[in-house]
């Protein structure tokens, strides 16, 4: 019985340390977690019907994208990057736990989940100050957390 107790205790410690959020290893840029939300999120939210979980996917940073530049494309499930004058700055993948990071210099960007040549609109939100999509402004040597939700939920 004495041999089982240390094993159980170490198992608990391992499980708890796995819950710690990852830390970015880049000196500047953006990092965060990508999650997918689905199910019924109508108030009151029922945890058996509302689900949010981390996903592995590709994330890209673009020069700032304004809603006015996209016309009716924003109301589709995905936006073809090649159909518009959208310049991709960099792309990365999130890990199984949804964590991602991108080294980016100071500037104004739009960050989104991408699938090949398309931006998934379910991952986008519009800022009220001029209609910028998934806006992120970084200053010199700044490291900022920017979490993304791919939202298929019902509200």
């Amino acid at each position: 019985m004495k041999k089982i107790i240390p094993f159980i205790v170490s198992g608990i410690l391992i499980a708890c340390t796995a819950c710690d959020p990852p830390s970015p290893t880049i000196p500047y840029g953006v990092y965060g977690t990508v999650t997918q939300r689905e199910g019924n999120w109508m108030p009151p939210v029922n945890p058996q019907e509302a689900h949010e979980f981390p996903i592995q996917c590709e994330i890209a940073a673009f020069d700032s994208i304004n809603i006015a530049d996209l016309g009716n494309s924003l109301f589709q499930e995905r936006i073809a990057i090649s159909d518009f004058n959208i310049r991709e700055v960099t792309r990365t993948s999130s890990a199984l736990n949804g964590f991602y990071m991108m080294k980016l210099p100071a500037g104004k960007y739009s960050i989104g989940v991408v699938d090949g040549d398309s931006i998934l609109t379910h991952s986008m939100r519009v800022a009220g100050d001029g209609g910028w999509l998934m806006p992120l402004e970084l200053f010199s040597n700044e490291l900022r957390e920017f979490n993304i939700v791919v939202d298929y939920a019902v509200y």
Side-chain angles (χ1 to χ4, degrees):
M1 186 68 168
K2 289 183 182 180
K3 291 181 181 179
I4 295 175
I5 294 171
F7 177 74
I8 293 171
V9 170
S10 65
I12 292 170
L13 292 175
I14 289 170
C16 290
T17 56
C19 298
D20 290 340
S23 298
T25 57
I26 53 175
Y28 56 88
V30 63
Y31 71 95
T33 303
V34 183
T35 58
Q36 182 169 315
R37 188 177 290 166
E38 56 188 37
N40 184 357
W41 285 72
M42 294 289 286
V45 175
N46 180 344
Q48 294 176 338
E49 296 178 8
H51 309 283
E52 187 169 359
F53 48 90
I55 59 170
Q56 188 174 21
C57 60
E58 288 192 313
I59 304 100
F62 303 92
D63 285 340
S64 292
I65 303 170
N66 192 285
I67 191 171
D69 298 331
L70 301 176
N72 290 330
S73 295
L74 185 62
F75 303 106
Q76 298 173 9
E77 190 167 321
R78 47 185 72 229
I79 298 169
I81 298 167
S82 58
D83 288 351
F84 300 94
N85 189 18
I86 300 172
R87 188 179 81 83
E88 185 175 315
V89 178
T90 190
R91 186 182 289 216
T92 191
S93 296
S94 62
L96 287 173
N97 63 0
F99 184 77
Y100 78 96
M101 58 185 157
M102 280 190 270
K103 201 173 190 181
L104 287 169
K108 292 183 178 183
Y109 304 97
S110 288
I111 308 291
V113 174
V114 293
D115 182 20
D117 184 45
S118 298
I119 305 170
L120 299 181
T121 57
H122 292 283
S123 69
M124 303 172 92
R125 67 175 188 271
V126 179
D129 60 343
W132 298 102
L133 296 176
M134 295 296 284
L136 172 72
E137 183 173 7
L138 291 173
F139 299 98
S140 183
N141 297 315
E142 182 179 9
L143 181 61
R144 179 162 322 155
E145 183 174 10
F146 192 85
N147 297 316
I148 301 170
V149 177
V150 179
D151 201 344
Y152 292 104
V154 176
Y155 296 93

